[in-house]
């Protein structure tokens, strides 16, 4: 079973100060709540089905032996994962959930959220996602697929033949795996003349991030049609019945299973690493020239907070690295 991790907002986008929420008018305090979703692919126990015909052929009379029809086609199809990612990114449901969670945790408390509150917020998110019914046209990302249909035709068949695309019904179970959050303040240290960045909650162990909240909550099931180019075939026109009228549909239904699941935190740059890119240590360096950040570059940023505390991971491994 395929498992796909989606983090909203995207790591590279968060290297821009404008992607963070300004928490005061002076713009010396910033906060972010990031949601980590997981898609679990599931094949439905349904037969293959065919779509609209792509072309019509007629076998010539008097052919003494079998002959081969081979034609190339192009079909526009939806890229399901990218479309779901765009849906989650643009959805008011995600934004509202993040906003309400931020109000509860205040960007500063270390995972101080009760199980009851987690259930209430995730239930509201689930109901809001399901109310969408399906992913709309503006959120669908498409690509053109080239393929070929080749079949050997019996010379005795003279009735019209059509080329048809074949589809298989599949689904993704959408879960909210984790949420992480961070606050960055520019403050003057005691007797200090210049403002320096300070992150909350404070991290002292590289392997223990106090700003992560585990959910593992099923939100919805998203059903879609997968195009099977190698299964597409020729069939008699009078036997052809369109079974898949809208192969680009991405429908949203109630979760297949309501049971809470364990979801591993995704391999993405931490908010501490991203904040080091978005908010330089010194206030006066905030408007430094833009850097072309990638996720790999962000992962390599050291967590100076851990290093400077001489504690946890750094104390154990850092001096020899």
């Amino acid at each position: 079973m395929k498992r796909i991790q989606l983090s909203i907002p995207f790591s590279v986008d968060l290297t821009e100060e404008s992607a963070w929420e300004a928490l005061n008018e002076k713009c010396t305090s910033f906060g972010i709540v990031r949601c980590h979703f997981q898609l679990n692919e599931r094949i439905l126990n349904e037969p293959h089905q065919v779509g609209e015909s792509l072309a019509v052929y007629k076998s010539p009379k008097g052919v003494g032996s079998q002959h081969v029809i081979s034609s190339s086609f192009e079909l526009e199809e939806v890229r399901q994962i990218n479309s779901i990612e765009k849906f989650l990114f643009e959805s008011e449901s995600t934004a509202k959930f993040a906003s309400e969670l931020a109000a509860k945790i205040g960007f500063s408390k270390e995972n101080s959220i009760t199980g009851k509150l987690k259930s209430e917020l995730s239930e509201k998110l689930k109901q809001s996602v399901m109310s969408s019914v399906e992913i709309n046209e503006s959120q669908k990302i498409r690509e053109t697929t080239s393929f070929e249909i080749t079949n050997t035709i019996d010379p005795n068949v003279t009735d019209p033949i059509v080329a048809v695309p074949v589809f298989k019904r599949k689904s993704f179970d959408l879960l909210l795996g984790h949420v992480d959050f961070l606050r960055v303040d520019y403050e003057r240290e005691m007797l200090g003349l210049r403002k320096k960045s300070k992150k909350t909650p404070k991290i002292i162990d590289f392997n223990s991030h106090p700003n992560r909240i585990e959910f593992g909550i099923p939100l919805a099931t998203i059903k879609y049609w997968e195009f099977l180019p190698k299964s597409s075939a020729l069939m008699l026109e009078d036997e052809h019945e369109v079974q898949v009228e809208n192969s680009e549909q991405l429908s949203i239904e109630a979760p297949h299973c309501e049971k809470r699941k364990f979801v591993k935190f995704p391999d993405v740059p931490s908010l501490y690493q991203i904040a080091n890119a978005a908010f330089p240590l010194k206030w006066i360096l905030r408007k430094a020239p833009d850097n072309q950040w990638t996720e790999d570059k962000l992962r390599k940023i050291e967590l100076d907070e851990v290093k400077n505390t001489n504690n946890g991971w750094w104390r154990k491994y850092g001096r020899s690295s």
Side-chain angles (χ1 to χ4, degrees):
M1 180 173 64
K2 186 189 299 182
R3 290 182 172 85
I4 300 98
Q5 301 280 2
L6 304 174
S7 296
I8 308 294
F10 314 126
S11 297
V12 175
D13 290 349
L14 290 177
T15 59
E16 296 290 333
E17 181 184 296
S18 58
W20 295 61
E21 180 185 352
L23 303 179
N24 60 11
E25 293 182 357
K26 295 181 179 180
C27 289
T28 58
S29 296
F30 304 88
I32 195 69
V33 170
R34 182 171 58 167
C35 299
H36 303 280
F37 300 94
Q38 180 169 292
L39 296 174
N40 295 339
E41 186 182 55
R42 183 162 45 89
I43 298 175
L44 303 178
N45 188 25
E46 297 179 5
H48 298 75
Q49 300 193 33
V50 300
E52 295 181 355
S53 61
L54 303 171
V56 181
Y57 303 94
K58 197 160 186 181
S59 179
K61 294 181 180 180
V63 176
S65 61
Q66 293 183 334
H67 62 285
V68 176
I69 292 180
S70 181
S71 298
S72 297
F73 301 95
E74 287 188 348
L75 188 71
E76 191 173 63
E77 61 175 334
V78 169
R79 296 165 61 184
Q80 295 93 0
I81 296 173
N82 298 89
S83 299
I84 294 171
E85 185 176 53
K86 187 177 181 184
F87 163 72
L88 293 171
F89 180 72
E90 295 180 353
S91 173
E92 291 184 3
S93 306
T94 308
K96 187 175 181 181
F97 169 79
S99 177
E100 291 184 355
L101 182 60
K104 298 297 182 182
I105 61 179
F107 286 115
S108 59
K109 301 174 184 177
E110 300 182 7
N111 293 348
S112 57
I113 178 172
T114 65
K116 180 181 178 181
L117 183 57
K118 284 170 61 175
S119 297
E120 290 176 355
L121 292 178
S122 56
E123 181 63 24
K124 289 173 67 175
L125 175 60
K126 181 175 70 174
Q127 295 301 325
S128 185
V129 168
M130 287 194 302
S131 69
S132 300
V133 182
E134 66 177 282
I135 294 176
N136 64 48
E137 288 300 308
S138 66
Q139 293 165 336
K140 292 176 183 175
I141 298 176
R142 297 174 171 84
E143 66 179 358
T144 300
T145 299
S146 299
F147 64 102
E148 186 175 74
I149 297 178
T150 300
N151 280 91
T152 301
I153 306 301
D154 190 313
N156 297 318
V157 176
T158 57
D159 294 331
I161 299 169
V162 292
V164 295
V166 176
F167 300 91
K168 179 69 176 176
R169 189 74 155 167
K170 289 188 175 182
S171 71
F172 281 120
D173 293 321
L174 173 65
L175 294 90
L176 173 65
H178 294 81
V179 169
D180 58 354
F181 60 96
L182 193 66
R183 174 174 179 145
V184 180
D185 295 286
Y186 278 101
E187 299 176 349
R188 287 187 177 89
E189 296 179 351
M190 187 176 297
L191 303 179
L193 298 177
R194 299 186 185 277
K195 296 177 183 176
K196 293 184 178 180
S197 64
K198 173 187 174 184
K199 302 181 188 69
T200 309
K202 186 176 181 180
I203 180 173
I204 59 174
D205 185 345
F206 184 86
N207 294 310
S208 178
H209 290 235
N211 65 331
R212 294 177 179 175
I213 304 173
E214 183 180 355
F215 280 84
I217 303 295
L219 297 178
T221 291
I222 301 176
K223 292 184 177 180
Y224 64 94
W225 291 104
E226 181 181 66
F227 171 53
L228 305 176
K230 293 183 179 180
S231 297
S232 298
L234 302 180
M235 63 188 303
L236 292 173
E237 185 178 35
D238 60 3
E239 294 180 356
H240 174 228
E241 180 182 346
V242 178
Q243 298 169 312
V244 181
E245 295 184 354
N246 182 8
S247 63
E248 297 184 349
Q249 185 181 40
L250 291 165
S251 59
I252 302 173
E253 302 178 1
H256 170 69
C257 176
E258 299 280 354
K259 186 178 179 181
R260 186 172 175 271
K261 301 180 184 297
F262 169 77
V263 178
K264 186 179 179 181
F265 195 87
D267 180 24
V268 294
S270 73
L271 288 178
Y272 295 95
Q273 291 170 310
I274 296 171
N276 281 346
F279 303 100
L281 177 62
K282 296 180 180 180
W283 169 265
I284 59 174
L285 299 178
R286 283 172 63 242
K287 302 302 180 182
D290 292 339
N291 194 331
Q292 298 301 312
W293 293 103
T294 64
E295 287 214 354
D296 285 338
K297 288 182 179 179
L298 290 171
R299 286 192 187 96
K300 293 176 182 177
I301 295 179
E302 288 187 357
L303 297 185
D304 290 333
E305 298 87 350
V306 176
K307 179 179 177 180
N308 293 337
T309 59
N310 195 30
N311 199 350
W313 178 88
W314 182 261
R315 183 177 62 188
K316 189 173 182 181
Y317 304 107
R319 291 171 179 167
S320 61
S321 62

